[in-house]
């Protein structure tokens, strides 16, 4: 068994599925991911999750427009 470590650039270049594989221990045959690397992988995964969840849903702007038009027409 060998210990696997990734640089920050390698982690940022990984796809979401590669991140999940590395965190689940499926990255290599019998390889062990170091605890420092696991923390970096988790931080990158969390960063991506926050970035995706902070974007408003595509229906927010059209719905807001319809509400404004409805208020203007009803008044």
């Amino acid at each position: 068994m060998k210990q696997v470590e990734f640089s920050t650039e390698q982690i940022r270049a990984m796809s979401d599925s590669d991140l999940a594989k590395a965190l689940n221990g499926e990255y290599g045959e019998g390889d062990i991911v170091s605890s420092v690397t696991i923390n970096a992988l988790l931080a990158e995964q969390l960063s991506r999750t926050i970035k995706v969840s902070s974007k408003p849903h595509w229906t927010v702007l059209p719905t807001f427009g319809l509400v404004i038009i409805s208020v203007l027409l009803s008044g």
Side-chain angles (χ1 to χ4, degrees):
M1 284 195 210
K2 66 176 182 172
Q3 190 166 346
V4 179
E5 292 187 12
F6 301 106
S7 68
T8 305
E9 293 81 24
Q10 289 174 316
I11 292 173
R12 287 187 181 142
M14 285 182 171
S15 67
D16 291 342
S17 63
D18 286 341
L19 276 176
K21 284 179 184 177
L23 287 169
N24 291 330
E26 302 170 4
Y27 192 77
E29 194 67 35
D31 293 339
I32 298 171
V33 180
S34 71
S35 61
V36 174
T37 304
I38 288 175
N39 286 337
L41 290 166
L42 287 170
E44 179 65 22
Q45 189 178 42
L46 180 62
S47 173
R48 291 180 186 186
T49 303
I50 290 171
K51 192 180 295 183
V52 168
S53 64
S54 65
K55 292 181 182 176
H57 194 265
W58 67 269
T59 59
V60 171
L61 187 61
T63 303
F64 180 72
L66 287 174
V67 168
I68 296 298
I69 291 170
S70 299
V71 168
L72 292 173
L73 291 176
S74 67

